[in-house]
């Protein structure tokens, strides 16, 4: 079986007998284990995005100090990434399973030993035993920490080696990437400004406006962010935005704009000229876009809440748009480094529902493209079901569109270094180290 032979990177617990004073201290520290267990129990219901649930939990528990919250959050995200393996290991031992899960998550996330080793001697002996179990001896889900249905699809579509490297890559946290708002600043100037603040960033090769932070500095409260000199945006999201390649004066329709990250990137490319119509079925998402747009200094956009992709109010744009962007609703499985809970909220059934929606969106969005205009289809998924299969089916039923190779759109110095330049469609993998998992295809409509 292909897979890493490395053992789970736990530190070995201290199994020596503790003194009475140490046991009393451990009891007071055990409150953190209990807190993590409580939050794990809440998140295990998977009723919504994990980040929102964690934020609400912290708001409801003001007694948690500034030192404890990062430790709790790290442990919980560790549990989300390694949940299948942690749950498997926690089947043995004594006491409530969720407490054993919490101790494993704290241990694995790097919490100090005095935190996760709090409790009975038997607990530490159990930890010492289970951390020496090789991942290679476990089942598919516990070994790869991916749902079996998803891992099976990856292996079938791209081979087992790719499935394995992907499974390991998404167990790590994603880097913090920034996009320079060229309407207000240059990459050189922003890099210098952040450096002067003690925030270390490096240029992202092949991405003129991209910077990658070293570590996870708090950039949202900086003056340069508040003034709109940059946005936080994954490198992959920046590259697929560049594939839109709008010209000054173009009419661009962002069909699934969401909170507007790509809309802002496209607006900056257009130098605040032309017009962007940002559409979404969620008014809440578009509301979040407005303060971002205000910071950016962009004014070449208009937002519109639509009922669905067939909303009759879109008829006025039929055949008029120079560029139509469809960043369609998808499984999001390319973003598991940032959103590890997605793998528990998706299934074969939800995938089937998503692909049906994707087919409908691309068909309706295509009606808005003018002759010689372009339709850009985007997902943050790595599955062919949501990517090549959707595009190929669309091209077969819409002969007036042709596929343009992504390398024809992005200049050599503006491309992801590790992307396959022989592919017609752009595919980015998190294990290549450049971005989250993204897919994009550029579809050109004939002139007549």
């Amino acid at each position: 079986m292909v897979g890493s032979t490395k053992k789970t990177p736990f530190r070995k617990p201290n199994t020596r007998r503790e003194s009475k004073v140490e046991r009393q201290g451990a009891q007071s520290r055990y409150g953190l284990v209990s807190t993590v267990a409580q939050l794990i129990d809440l998140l295990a219901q998977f009723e919504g995005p994990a980040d929102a649930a964690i934020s609400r939990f912290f708001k409801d528990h003001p007694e948690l100090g500034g030192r404890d919250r990062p430790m709790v959050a790290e442990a919980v995200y560790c549990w989300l990434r390694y949940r299948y393996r942690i749950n498997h290991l926690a089947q043995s031992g004594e006491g409530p399973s969720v407490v054993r899960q919490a101790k494993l998550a704290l241990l694995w996330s790097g919490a100090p030993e005095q935190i996760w080793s709090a409790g009975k001697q038997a607990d530490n002996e159990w930890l010492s035993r289970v951390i020496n179990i090789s991942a290679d001896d476990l089942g598919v889900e516990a070994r790869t920490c991916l749902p079996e249905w998803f891992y099976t699809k990856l292996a079938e579509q791209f081979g087992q080696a790719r499935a394995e490297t992907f499974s390991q890559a998404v167990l790590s946290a994603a880097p913090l990437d920034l996009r320079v708002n060229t309407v207000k600043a240059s990459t050189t100037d922003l890099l210098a400004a952040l450096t002067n603040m003690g925030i270390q960033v490096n240029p992202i090769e092949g991405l003129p406006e991209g910077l990658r932070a070293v570590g996870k500095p708090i950039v949202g409260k900086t003056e340069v962010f508040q003034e709109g000199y940059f946005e936080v945006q994954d490198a992959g999201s920046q590259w697929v935005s560049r594939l839109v390649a709008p010209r000054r004066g173009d009419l661009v329709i962002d069909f699934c704009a969401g909170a507007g990250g790509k809309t802002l990137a496209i607006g900056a490319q257009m130098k605040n000229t032309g017009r962007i119509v940002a559409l979404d079925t969620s008014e809440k998402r578009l509301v979040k876009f407005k303060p971002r747009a205000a910071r950016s200094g962009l004014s070449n956009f208009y937002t519109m809440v639509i009922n669905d992709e067939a909303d009759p109010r879109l008829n006025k744009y039929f055949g008029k748009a120079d560029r139509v962007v469809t960043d369609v609703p998808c499984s999001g499985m390319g973003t598991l480094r940032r959103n590890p809970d997605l793998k528990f909220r998706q299934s074969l059934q939800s995938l089937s529902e998503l692909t049906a929606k994707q087919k409908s969106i691309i068909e309706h969005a295509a009606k808005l493209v003018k002759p010689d205009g372009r339709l850009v289809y985007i997902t943050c998924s790595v599955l062919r079901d949501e990517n090549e299969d959707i595009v190929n089916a669309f091209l077969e039923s819409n002969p007036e569109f042709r596929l343009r190779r992504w390398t024809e759109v992005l200049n050599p110095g503006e491309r992801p270094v590790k992307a396959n330049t022989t592919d017609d469609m752009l595919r980015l993998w998190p294990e290549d180290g450049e971005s989250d998992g993204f897919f994009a295809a550029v579809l050109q409509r004939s002139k007549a």
Side-chain angles (χ1 to χ4, degrees):
M1 182 178 290
V2 177
S4 171
T5 57
K6 294 181 180 179
K7 293 183 174 63
T8 302
F10 288 144
R11 289 167 292 169
K12 186 176 181 180
N14 180 6
T15 57
R16 70 176 178 82
R17 296 289 179 181
E18 294 179 304
S19 68
K20 182 178 180 180
V21 172
E22 288 174 321
R23 287 197 299 273
Q24 290 173 341
Q27 289 170 359
S28 65
R29 294 188 296 268
Y30 191 76
L32 194 60
V33 176
S34 179
T35 299
V36 173
Q38 186 179 353
L39 188 47
I40 285 175
D41 201 36
L42 175 67
L43 290 176
Q45 301 172 42
F46 297 110
E47 295 179 345
D51 56 351
I54 293 170
S55 295
R56 286 196 302 270
F57 183 87
F58 286 157
K59 185 177 181 180
D60 294 339
H61 294 78
E63 71 276 7
L64 286 172
R67 181 182 177 185
D68 290 340
R69 291 188 180 201
M71 200 178 302
V72 170
E74 283 293 323
V76 169
Y77 271 99
C78 175
W79 176 78
L80 287 168
R81 293 189 177 98
Y82 288 91
R83 177 178 177 241
Y84 287 117
R85 193 176 303 173
I86 287 176
N87 283 8
H88 176 80
L89 296 175
Q91 289 177 17
S92 62
E94 300 175 355
S97 172
V98 69
V99 173
R100 295 196 296 277
Q101 292 175 46
K103 297 192 77 171
L104 284 167
L106 282 162
L107 170 60
W108 211 334
S109 63
E113 182 174 342
Q114 64 267 30
I115 298 295
W116 51 257
S117 64
K120 298 178 181 179
Q121 179 69 17
D123 291 343
N124 290 337
E125 291 174 350
W126 166 76
L127 281 170
S128 182
R129 182 174 68 258
V130 298
I131 64 174
N132 287 307
I133 298 174
S134 172
D136 292 341
D137 297 330
L138 305 177
V140 170
E141 290 189 337
R143 178 174 59 81
T144 66
C145 296
L146 292 175
E148 187 167 3
W149 71 266
F150 177 69
Y151 177 85
T152 300
K153 268 192 172 291
L154 272 184
E156 289 174 351
Q157 295 179 1
F158 302 102
Q160 194 171 15
R162 173 63 82 176
E164 291 290 336
T165 56
F166 177 88
S167 71
Q168 294 303 305
V170 296
L171 291 176
S172 302
L176 176 65
D177 294 340
L178 314 178
R179 178 186 59 80
V180 182
N181 177 15
T182 52
V183 173
K184 288 191 171 184
S186 69
T187 302
T188 302
D189 289 344
L190 181 62
L191 194 155
L194 291 172
T195 301
N196 288 337
M197 297 176 190
I199 298 174
Q200 186 178 349
V201 292
N202 297 309
I204 299 175
E205 188 176 1
L207 197 57
E209 292 87 35
L211 296 173
R212 178 160 293 171
V214 176
K216 291 294 178 68
I218 300 175
V219 298
K221 295 183 179 180
T222 62
E223 184 178 354
V224 284
F225 175 77
Q226 298 296 334
E227 293 181 356
Y229 289 94
F230 71 90
E231 278 285 329
V232 175
Q233 186 176 20
D234 178 76
S237 181
Q238 295 184 50
W239 267 307
V240 296
S241 299
R242 293 184 68 80
L243 276 177
V244 178
R247 301 159 298 187
R248 292 191 180 191
D250 273 355
L251 168 62
V252 178
I253 297 180
D254 192 347
F255 210 86
C256 311
K262 294 181 183 65
T263 308
L264 294 176
I266 295 165
Q269 291 179 54
M270 296 170 69
K271 308 296 183 185
N272 212 10
T273 66
R275 185 162 57 121
I276 304 174
V277 182
L279 310 174
D280 205 274
T281 57
S282 170
E283 182 177 7
K284 185 177 180 179
R285 285 194 290 264
L286 288 177
V287 166
K288 291 181 179 179
F289 168 51
K290 291 186 178 180
R292 299 175 71 185
R295 282 198 309 268
S296 73
L298 293 172
S299 57
N300 61 336
F301 68 91
Y302 167 75
T303 62
M304 179 177 168
V305 181
I306 57 175
N307 296 321
D308 53 33
E309 63 272 18
D311 194 314
R313 290 175 295 167
L314 297 177
N315 294 354
K316 63 182 178 181
Y317 295 115
F318 278 9
K320 295 182 179 179
D322 299 278
R323 302 285 189 269
V324 176
V325 186
T326 55
D327 184 4
V328 297
C330 69
S331 66
M333 297 299 256
T335 67
L336 289 180
R337 297 185 303 175
R338 300 178 193 278
N339 308 296
D341 55 306
L342 282 175
K343 58 188 172 184
F344 311 116
R345 295 194 285 121
Q346 300 293 0
S347 64
L348 285 172
Q349 180 180 346
S350 66
L351 179 64
S352 177
E353 294 169 355
L354 284 166
T355 54
K357 189 68 171 176
Q358 291 155 3
K359 290 174 184 176
S360 179
I361 289 175
I362 193 173
E363 288 287 348
H364 283 89
K367 297 175 182 179
L368 312 185
V369 182
K370 69 189 299 185
D372 204 32
R374 294 178 190 171
L375 172 65
V376 184
Y377 179 84
I378 300 169
T379 78
C380 51
S381 171
V382 293
L383 294 175
R384 291 188 187 276
D385 309 59
E386 303 180 83
N387 297 331
E388 290 91 345
D389 291 354
I390 299 294
V391 173
N392 290 332
F394 170 80
L395 290 172
E396 186 174 345
S397 59
N398 293 272
E400 70 274 22
F401 282 87
R402 67 178 178 88
L403 183 64
R404 291 201 60 177
R405 179 172 285 185
W406 70 271
T407 53
E408 296 176 9
V409 181
L410 295 182
N411 296 323
E414 301 175 352
R415 300 173 184 169
V417 177
K418 296 182 181 179
N420 190 339
T421 56
T422 63
D423 286 346
D424 290 332
M425 308 178 207
L426 176 62
R427 175 178 284 282
L428 300 172
W429 293 93
E431 56 265 43
D432 291 339
E434 295 187 302
S435 74
D436 285 341
F438 272 92
F439 172 88
V442 181
L443 310 172
Q444 184 100 24
R445 189 167 194 167
S446 59
K447 294 183 179 179

